[in-house]
């Protein structure tokens, strides 16, 4: 069974079909690329998966279960985490707190336990803290854990978004242009990081990215969207040589 | 139909004896004036301040308390309950022998228990809600609950137009003063066998009354009775007239102020007002008061000023009596306050309001017994801006 | 270097955000008709430099000269009226206005007639046909790349003499990136002076005549673009 | 309710509503550009009324510092109205300088601006009381006639009646003349402001500033000047509103305008924040709602207005004419 | 002691107002500008006033002597007021929490207004006059401190801990970015309703004690004006740490009385002391305008502590 499957997912905005009966499946442990020209519907696809926008029609299956109709926080609790193309950090919270928040579904202390500081709650708080620091170190932000998120430079905010998403302990991680705003060298480091977290946390990753070398080097398979439609799907080499893809996206 | 006008009787008071030219000396005796000087209640409080100020100067000119000056300690209660309590506590700590205030009944329910527990006599200048004197032994009021005034005004209206059948009653539902008064008005209407066609409510902060007016005029009333305050009452009258109502209007005690003139202007003309005070009262003390007031303010004194004056007067006269009896110097402050309270309850006074006394025993001790009530009719001058209350009853 | 006054000159410019020093003592010149690029790692202070020129952050020290005139104390709108347009980092389109209104507002400082402005809008639509399709859509609902196109088109609407571009290729598909860079060259040919911040250092150095490298707020290397592209340190750090 | 009463109440509702609307227009204008509530608007409205009173050359009462003072000249009422409105606009600009701009510069929370405008409102109201006392004031009784000078030919014997009788039903529906003026003025202001905001470059710039002042300045918009202009306009409109309402109900003391604050807020929220037509529609809806409360439940009138507001918000969280904007992620 | 008899009432009022500030602050932690606190405060007050004047009567009827009303009854009323507020908050919380910003603020003000109009119309709430003669557990107003101070400390401690707990973090995340918070697994609805209810419970409890404290309760308590005033506590004090609303409540309540006291100082020029009295609210208003200029994030900000912490660390090193 595929970990994730889209069956004819469609999303309309008025007359515009942003995602047009798109079907594909992602296997456990894959790094799956989603590429296509600007406005092709990639981000919208992520929004459908994370329930930020409901699909007009079609089915989305996560671990065999249809997740259409669930609330965003329920999706998160099921193990799907994401980063945002237009960065959405909790700007006034420190990096550390940003990461702590995302551990919400894996912690259980209720209001009163938290307030009374029961041993369980205290133990939990320690765990949360330790894990948050570890994740920040992992993405290279260990030094600035107490800095407010909004004061980070653009590239660092992207790394923080990844750390935050990882804190959710997802099974499926959706990365929306994680390398935007990084230079080629940094993108290389990022690419290693993505591979590392896939192995370390046993993740499946869907990646949107416009930087072709990164996508081609990193992804196991790639799906290409154009005007909301899936125009190609396959191994990087296959996709890269597909004339439709070259025409619509890569250019020559 | 006239039975409602009966009043409990009191001994006729001796007129206040002014000893001009006495040189004042000694530690002044402090009387607290805790009324609203700020907030939207200040419109009323401002008049009380003026009345009290006139009283302070007047009685000191008349020899104070057998040669000792009185000193009025003003504290702003602002418009809320906490403000009233704060003001009361400040003046009590300042060593006043008694307090005049606060402006609103609702505030009184908050602050009066403080004074009562501290054993400080309070003379309420404008608290007409039921239950005020019952707060405690030390709480009295100089403001008559309109139970007695109201029927007079309705009777006066019937005199002017014997054909009145339908009566529409309006009152400000967020004002303790108005909502106490309206009960009396409504009872009177029923007692007189008139038809209480509708009761419409509004808020003192309202400025538009067209909905209520249309509701009422649809029932064809020949008399409209309004319990409210100056601005809202004035506007209600104005709009009633603009909507073509031509019948009689009886205004409650809250409309008994020249402050309504700028609001309803020429349309104020003819309102019959139930008064606890009339500047037409011919007693010498009132005429003196009226003169001083007119000198300073250029208009006839309103009821709130007169009541504040009278409240101070009660304290002064009672203090003089107490001094004559035991000598104020011999009394500790606490004892002085207690004795003052006992003394003032058992005296009668010739005030600008007319002869005044108090119930001195039982639950309702401190309730005013007022000898005279008035009914006046507003007469506006040509300019439509100024006018006068013409005494009719 | 030419003897005429530079179009843009920064003298000892420093910027701090509270306690954080984002830029130290930067000296930079851009001559008329030049393309100059600014490269550096995340957080190096590139965007800060552009923000300081546009006067939306206050320098703690130093001077900003445009055509030799000190504008360090001018308000941002005065800078725009001097012919400077800024494509800010993260696009910052006016999300609740339509695409077309965004373009209109781009021409806010222009006093010429409606027709001229309308004509320029059409020119932008020709450059970015995607924007024409979306002309009545609220800018906030555009895709990331579409917003980036709008931000660039909007800046061009003021017909700037000097263009500040902060990562114009951000989030754009490869085809469009190429398109953007050819537009940059074209504008430059038409005489527009350009200061370009770009993560794709390779492309930037190909396009620019000179470059500056920022590291943690300090300018460490500067020189002709071709030299920088060959510089070992630059290659290692930024060209991957 | 008889049909006659019903129609009368509809007329009343529109009349009350137009008072709310005219108050709310200036209020919502500031929201539409700054995205914040200016609590001092009520005070500006009040000041407009007092300024005009002063300019008519009438003396103040006996309370307050300016007791019995008056100007050495007196203006014809329509001029006094204009002067009062201009002064109110000026005060509004000063308010912006004192309570809004410094905070904007410091990047303060927009709620803080709300509170500091509230502080100014408290100060202004008390300054008024300090200067001219808490009593009511009124305009010369000729005021209505004067401002309708160009329309006098419409009325028999050239004199404006206090009320219009509209013989739609029997007995006729009665509408107070002042209310007709207020209604007409609000519609006029509505049209003018709508044109300004939707039809002009300045309007587009205002909307841009409302959304993102920094980006707007990158486009060459002088945000400070634009905001100042908006405040002036809001104060001017508010001043006119204050005078007209003052003509209708008298200037009932320093709290005159503040009393409209809460209803005004309800009105602009009901209509949709920042929407100019929304302010008028919201005013009329609340006015109608209040007027149509059955006579025996009149005590609940105020609750009805707010219940309407509550229910509408549950159905349309953005208000009647407010635009929803869902930020794309 | 003289000081306490003069200022005892003020001191306890300050504590109550600080708690009202907290009650508004709790929903604000989740980013909801709810001004409903005064409505629950009014409700709590009525519950206490009605119970103590009609149910908790002394044996053999009659009135309680001043100072003899058993404190246990006050506590029972307080708990009941908290419960009733919680129920009502649940009822109105769910539908209204779809609203945001000023829209939510207005919906909650609508609730406050409806409570006020109801209490002006109902027999049981005493209409305009309200309920008076609320019996006193203490003779001195200052003695209320034994109820107010523990409640303030408990609620402050509660919020302090809350801010640092898992749930508090979820609240703050919602305030910063609701959508991102949801994507990180935080349930917006339950957390927002929870915050709304917690704030309501606190306001209701404060109302219950206040009814005794003020001797009377009427429709003038807990109105729109109070909503705005309490908002001012939070904003002036600082809206990002629980200490902000507490400080704001204490200061803004004390301010007019402090000005009054200053005016009373001997030896001031007459015009000045007169202005301090008559113009007290002018000064009050202007101070509210000026304070934010110096403290644009409120008087207390979380950074204040951080910076100090960093400094001490440096000093130690
Ligand atoms: N809320 C919306 N209303 C209207 N149109 C929308 C909305 N959201 C997205 N769209 C449109 O749907 C299309 C797909 O957008 P989407 O953000 O998914 O593109 P994308 O593939 O992520 O592009 P990019 O690479 O530029 O980020 C775009 O043309 C966009 O304008
Ligand atoms: N508003 C701010 N408040 C505090 N610090 C800031 C702010 N903006 C930027 N900084 C800090 O200033 C430094 C320079 O930031 P800047 O955005 O100029 O970097 P950059 O070179 O553009 O990086 P990137 O490539 O990531 O966009 C960084 O350390 C950043 O954290
Ligand atoms: Mg996208
Ligand atoms: Mg940058």
């Amino acid at each position: 069974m595929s970990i994730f499957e889209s069956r004819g997912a469609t999303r309309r905005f008025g007359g515009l079909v942003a995602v047009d009966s798109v079907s594909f499946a992602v296997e456990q442990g894959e790094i799956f690329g989603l590429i296509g020209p600007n406005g092709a519907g990639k981000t919208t696809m992520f929004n459908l998966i994370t329930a930020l926008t409901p699909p007009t029609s079609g089915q989305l299956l996560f671990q065999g279960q249809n997740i259409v109709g669930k609330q965003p926080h329920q999706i998160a609790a099921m193990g799907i985490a994401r980063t945002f193309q237009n960065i959405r950090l909790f700007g006034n919270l420190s990096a550390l707190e940003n990461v702590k928040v995302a551990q919400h579904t894996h912690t259980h202390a209720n209001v009163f336990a938290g307030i009374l500081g029961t041993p369980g709650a205290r133990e939990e708080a320690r765990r949360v803290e330790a894990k948050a620091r570890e994740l920040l170190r992992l993405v290279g932000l260990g030094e600035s854990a107490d800095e407010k998120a909004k004061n980070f430079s653009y590239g660092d905010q992207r790394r923080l978004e990844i750390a935050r998403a990882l804190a959710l302990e997802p099974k499926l991680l959706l990365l929306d242009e994680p390398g935007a705003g990084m230079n080629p060298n940094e993108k290389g480091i990022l690419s290693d990081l993505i591979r590392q977290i896939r192995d370390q946390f046993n993740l499946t990753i869907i990646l949107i990215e416009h930087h072709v070398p990164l996508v081609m080097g990193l992804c196991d398979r790639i799906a290409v969207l154009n005007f909301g439609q899936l125009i190609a799907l396959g191994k990087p080499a296959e996709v890269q040589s597909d004339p439709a893809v070259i025409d619509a996206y890569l250019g020559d | 139909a006239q039975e409602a006008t009966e009043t409990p009787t009191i001994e006729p008071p001796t007129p206040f004896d002014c000893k001009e030219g006495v040189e004042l000396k000694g530690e002044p005796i402090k009387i607290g004036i805790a009324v609203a000087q700020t907030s939207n209640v200040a419109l009323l409080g401002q008049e009380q301040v003026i009345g009290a100020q006139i009283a302070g100067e007047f009685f000191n000119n008349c020899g104070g308390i057998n040669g000792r000056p009185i000193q009025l300690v003003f504290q702003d209660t602002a418009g809320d309950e906490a403000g009233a309590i704060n003001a009361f506590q400040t003046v009590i700590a300042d060593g006043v022998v008694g307090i005049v205030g606060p402006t609103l009944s609702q505030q009184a329910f908050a602050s009066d228990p403080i004074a009562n527990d501290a054993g400080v006599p309070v003379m309420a200048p404008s608290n007409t809600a039921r239950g005020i004197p019952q707060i405690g032994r030390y709480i009295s009021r100089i403001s008559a609950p309109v139970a007695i005034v109201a029927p007079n005004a309705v009777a006066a209206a019937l005199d002017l137009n014997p054909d009145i059948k339908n009566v529409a009653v309006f009152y400000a539902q967020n004002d303790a003063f108005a909502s106490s008064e309206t009960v009396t008005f409504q009872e009177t209407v029923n007692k007189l066998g008139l038809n209480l066609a509708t009761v419409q409510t509004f808020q003192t902060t309202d400025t538009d009354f067209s909905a209520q007016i249309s509701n009422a005029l649809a029932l064809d009333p020949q008399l409209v009775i309004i319990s409210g305050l100056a601005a809202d009452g004035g506007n209600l009258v104005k709009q009633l007239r603009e909507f073509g109502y031509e019948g009689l209007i009886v205004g409650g005690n809250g409309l008994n102020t020249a402050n309504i003139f700028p609001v309803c202007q020429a349309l104020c003309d003819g309102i019959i007002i139930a008064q606890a005070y009339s500047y037409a009262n011919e007693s010498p003390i009132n005429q003196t008061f009226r003169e001083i007031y007119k000198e300073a303010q250029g208009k006839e004194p309103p009821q709130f000023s007169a009541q504040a004056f009278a409240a101070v007067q009660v304290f002064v006269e009672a203090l003089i009596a107490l001094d004559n009896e035991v000598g104020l110097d011999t009394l500790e402050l606490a004892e002085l306050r207690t004795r003052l309270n006992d003394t003032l309850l058992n005296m009668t006074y010739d005030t600008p309001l007319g002869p005044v006394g108090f119930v001195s025993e039982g639950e309702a001790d401190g309730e005013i017994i007022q000898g005279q009530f008035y009914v006046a009719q507003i007469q506006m001058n040509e300019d439509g801006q100024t006018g006068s209350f013409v005494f009719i009853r | 270097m030419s003897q005429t006054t530079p179009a843009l000159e920064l003298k000892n410019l420093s910027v701090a955000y509270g306690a954080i020093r984002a830029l130290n003592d930067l000296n930079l010149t851009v001559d008329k008709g030049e393309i100059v690029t600014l490269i550096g790692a995340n957080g190096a202070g590139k965007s800060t430099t552009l923000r300081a020129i546009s006067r939306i952050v206050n320098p703690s020290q130093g001077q900003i000269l445009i055509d030799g005139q000190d504008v360090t104390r001018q308000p941002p709108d005065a800078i725009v009226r001097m012919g400077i347009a800024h494509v800010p980092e993260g696009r910052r389109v006016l999300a609740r206005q339509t695409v077309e209104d965004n373009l209109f507002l781009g021409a806010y400082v222009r006093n010429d007639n409606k027709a001229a402005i309308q004509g320029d809008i059409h020119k932008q639509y020709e450059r970015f046909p995607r924007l024409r399709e979306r002309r009545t859509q609220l800018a906030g609902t555009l895709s990331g790349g579409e917003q980036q196109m709008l931000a660039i088109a909007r800046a061009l609407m003021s017909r700037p003499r000097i263009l500040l571009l902060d990562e114009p290729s951000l989030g754009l598909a490869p085809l469009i990136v190429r398109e953007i860079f050819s537009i940059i060259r074209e504008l430059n040919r038409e005489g527009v002076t350009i200061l370009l911040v770009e993560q794709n250092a390779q492309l930037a150095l190909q396009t620019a005549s000179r470059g500056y490298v920022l590291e943690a707020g300090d300018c460490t290397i500067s020189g002709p673009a071709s030299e920088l592209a060959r510089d070992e340190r630059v290659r290692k750090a930024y060209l991957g | 309710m008889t049909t006659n009463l019903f129609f009368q109440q509809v007329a009343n509702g529109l009349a009350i509503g137009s008072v709310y609307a005219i108050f709310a227009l200036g209020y919502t204008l500031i929201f539409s550009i700054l995205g914040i509530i200016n609590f001092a608007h009520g005070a500006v409205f009040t000041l407009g009324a007092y300024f005009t009173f002063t300019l008519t050359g009438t003396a103040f009462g006996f309370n307050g510092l300016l007791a019995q003072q008056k100007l050495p000249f007196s203006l014809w009422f329509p001029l006094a109205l204009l002067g009062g409105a201009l002064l109110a606009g000026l005060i509004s600009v000063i308010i912006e300088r004192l309570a809004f701009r410094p905070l904007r510069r410091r990047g303060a929370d927009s709620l803080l601006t709300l509170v500091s405008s509230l502080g100014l409102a408290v100060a202004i109201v008390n300054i008024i009381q300090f200067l001219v006392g808490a009593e009511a004031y009124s305009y010369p009784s000729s005021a209505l006639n004067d401002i309708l000078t160009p329309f006098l030919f419409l009325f028999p014997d050239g004199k404006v009646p206090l009320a219009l009788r509209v013989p739609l039903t029997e007995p006729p529906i009665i509408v107070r003349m002042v209310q007709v003026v207020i209604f007409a003025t609000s519609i006029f202001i509505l049209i003018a402001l709508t044109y300004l905001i939707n039809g002009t470059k300045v309007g587009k710039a205002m909307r841009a500033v409302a959304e993102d002042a920094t980006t707007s300045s990158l486009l060459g918009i002088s945000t400070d000047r634009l905001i100042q202009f908006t405040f002036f306009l809001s104060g001017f409109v508010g001043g006119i509103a204050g005078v007209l309402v003052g003509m209708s109900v008298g200037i009932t003391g320093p709290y005159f305008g503040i009393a409209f604050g809460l209803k005004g807020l309800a009105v602009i929220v009901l209509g949709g924040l920042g929407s100019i037509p929304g302010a008028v529609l919201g005013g009329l809806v609340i006015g109608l709602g209040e007027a149509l409360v059955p006579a025996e439940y009149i005590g609940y009138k105020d609750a009805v207005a707010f219940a309407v507001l509550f229910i509408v918000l549950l159905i349309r969280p953005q208000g009647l004419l407010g635009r929803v904007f869902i930020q794309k992620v | 002691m003289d000081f306490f008899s003069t200022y005892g009432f003020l001191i306890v009022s300050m504590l109550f107002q600080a708690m009202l500030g907290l009650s508004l602050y709790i929903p604000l932690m989740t980013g909801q500008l709810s001004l409903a606190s005064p409505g629950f405060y009014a409700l709590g007050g009525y519950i206490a006033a009605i119970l103590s004047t009609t149910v908790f009567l002394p044996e053999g009827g009659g009135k309680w002597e001043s100072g003899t009303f058993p404190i246990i009854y006050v506590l029972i009323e307080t708990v009941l007021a908290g419960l009733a507020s919680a129920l009502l908050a649940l009822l109105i919380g769910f539908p209204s929490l779809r609203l945001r910003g000023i829209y939510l603020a207005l919906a909650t003000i609508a609730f406050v207004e409806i409570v006020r109009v109801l209490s002006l119309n109902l027999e049981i709430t005493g209409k305009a006059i309200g309920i008076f003669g609320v019996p006193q557990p203490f003779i001195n107003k200052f003695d209320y401190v034994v109820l107010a101070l523990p409640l303030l400390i408990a609620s402050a401690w509660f919020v302090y801990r809350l801010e640092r707990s898992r749930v508090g973090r979820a609240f703050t995340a919602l305030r910063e970015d609701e959508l991102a918070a949801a994507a990180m697994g935080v349930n917006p609805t339950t957390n927002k309703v929870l915050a709304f209810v917690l704030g309501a419970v606190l306001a209701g409890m404060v109302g219950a004690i206040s009814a005794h404290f003020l001797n009377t309760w009427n429709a003038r308590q807990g109105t729109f004006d109070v909503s705005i005033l309490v908002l001012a506590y939070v904003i002036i004090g600082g809206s990002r740490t629980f200490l902000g609303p507490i400080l704001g409540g204490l200061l803004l309540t004390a301010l007019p009385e402090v000005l009054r006291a200053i005016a009373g100082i001997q030896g001031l020029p007459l015009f000045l002391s007169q202005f301090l009295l008559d113009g007290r609210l002018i000064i009050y208003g202007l101070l509210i305008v000026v304070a934010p200029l110096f403290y644009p994030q409120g008087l207390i900000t979380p950074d204040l502590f951080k910076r100090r912490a960093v400094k001490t660390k440096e000093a130690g090193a």
Side-chain angles (χ1 to χ4, degrees), chain A residues 111-140:
Chain A
V111 199
F112 298 101
I115 281 157
L116 296 172
T118 58
R122 261 182 293 164
E123 168 55 32
E124 194 176 276
R126 261 195 300 279
R127 236 176 38 231
V128 166
E129 166 103 18
K131 175 147 174 224
R133 289 200 183 275
E134 185 197 313
L135 288 171
L136 284 175
R137 263 196 305 276
L138 185 72
V139 299

Side-chain angles (χ1 to χ4, degrees), chain B residues 157-189:
Chain B
L158 271 176
D159 281 352
L160 291 173
N161 176 10
D163 297 333
I164 292 173
K165 286 205 180 52
N166 292 333
V167 181
V169 170
F170 290 72
Y171 75 95
Q173 66 169 168
N174 63 337
D175 183 61
F177 188 97
S179 52
S180 299
E181 186 185 64
T182 194
V183 175
T184 321
F185 272 128
Q186 291 176 34
E187 279 168 3
T188 309
V189 169

Side-chain angles (χ1 to χ4, degrees), chain D residues 24-110:
Chain D
L25 276 168
Y27 213 177
T28 205
L29 191 60
I30 290 185
F31 191 94
S32 71
I33 180 163
L34 285 184
I36 46 181
I37 299 282
N38 173 19
F39 263 114
H41 186 68
V44 171
F45 173 95
T46 311
L47 281 174
Y50 276 91
F51 283 139
T52 300
F53 174 83
T54 314
L55 290 174
T56 59
T58 323
F60 295 114
F62 285 86
N63 297 300
L65 212 59
L66 299 181
Q68 287 297 288
Q69 303 292 318
K70 63 175 179 185
L71 289 181
F73 57 88
S74 82
L75 291 182
W76 184 49
F77 189 77
L79 286 183
L81 192 165
L82 192 68
L86 285 172
L87 286 172
L90 204 67
I91 292 284
S92 185
V93 169
I94 294 173
I95 288 174
E96 194 271 327
R97 269 292 170 83
L98 291 181
F100 289 78
R101 185 178 300 187
L103 291 178
R104 203 164 58 239
R105 289 269 160 81
R106 288 168 176 74
D109 192 333
S110 73

Side-chain angles (χ1 to χ4, degrees), chain A residues 153-155, chain C residues 42-43 45-48 51 89 166-167 197 199:
Chain A
S153 78
Y154 195 86
Chain C
N42 292 144
K46 307 179 295 293
S47 302
T48 302
R51 284 186 213 132
E89 179 172 56
D166 199 342
E167 304 191 24
V197 168
Q199 292 293 2

